[in-house]
Amino acid sequence: MNNILLVEDDYLDAMNVQRQLSKNNIPHTIKVARNGKEALNLLQSQSPERMQPLPDVILLDINMPKMNGLEFLKEIRNDNELRRLKVFIMTTSNEESERTQAQRLGIDGYIIKPLSFDDFENKRSSMDSFNLLCDLLKN
């Protein structure tokens, strides 16, 4: 069973991610955080709400209130215990600067939302990232 942390402030996007994981027969448990601060609280060792075990993968939205995805990513990459966690960015934005900044912070993939197989023909790199994510979670 895969342990996933989904950091997403949009309820419909969160439901869509869960639906796509189930549709692809990926066994998982999922914990949802609505922003980066909530997610950090779930990951840091001093928190009573800490996820145990730590997630196998983090699916991270970029645009969120309180602490956005890039700020969250910087925090975990600077934490010795969390820096090696696998992170896939999910965003509706096609901003090259966001993608570049996320790549500098060591993401494992970049997925353009909405997360759906129906529209992946024009989003090849996004499909490659989603396939990588599925392969990672199926093994």
Side-chain angles (χ1 to χ4, degrees):
M1 183 73 65
N2 297 288
N3 194 20
I4 299 170
L5 174 58
L6 173 60
V7 188
E8 173 62 68
D9 64 322
D10 185 283
Y11 176 78
L12 292 176
D13 283 343
M15 293 301 296
N16 190 32
V17 167
Q18 293 185 58
R19 186 173 27 259
Q20 289 297 325
L21 291 169
S22 295
K23 184 177 174 179
N24 285 281
N25 300 315
I26 297 172
H28 66 280
T29 59
I30 196 162
K31 182 77 172 174
V32 179
R34 300 289 174 208
N35 60 61
K37 286 189 183 276
E38 245 182 68
L40 275 178
N41 194 43
L42 292 171
L43 295 174
Q44 293 177 325
S45 59
Q46 64 271 22
S47 171
E49 293 88 27
R50 184 171 187 203
M51 282 183 79
Q52 286 293 345
L54 286 174
D56 298 304
V57 68
I58 298 172
L59 301 176
L60 177 64
D61 185 22
I62 289 182
N63 298 311
M64 296 177 293
K66 297 185 183 178
M67 176 186 276
N68 71 37
L70 294 174
E71 293 167 332
F72 167 80
L73 193 52
K74 284 179 195 170
E75 289 288 325
I76 66 167
R77 292 303 188 227
N78 288 323
D79 184 307
N80 287 334
E81 188 179 353
L82 305 175
R83 70 173 3 124
R84 288 182 180 80
L85 291 174
K86 295 191 180 313
V87 178
F88 285 77
I89 293 285
M90 299 184 317
T91 184
T92 56
S93 172
N94 228 351
E95 285 293 318
E96 192 61 37
S97 62
E98 284 181 351
R99 184 182 302 237
T100 301
Q101 190 174 0
Q103 287 172 336
R104 280 193 205 122
L105 292 167
I107 60 167
D108 295 278
Y110 193 95
I111 299 169
I112 303 293
K113 294 189 292 186
L115 191 58
S116 169
F117 287 112
D118 303 333
D119 192 32
F120 272 134
E121 286 304 313
N122 299 323
K123 298 175 182 173
R124 192 71 210 144
S125 65
S126 187
M127 183 59 176
D128 292 343
S129 288
F130 190 73
N131 284 338
L132 176 63
L133 171 63
C134 289
D135 289 345
L136 174 75
L137 295 175
K138 285 181 180 176
N139 293 329

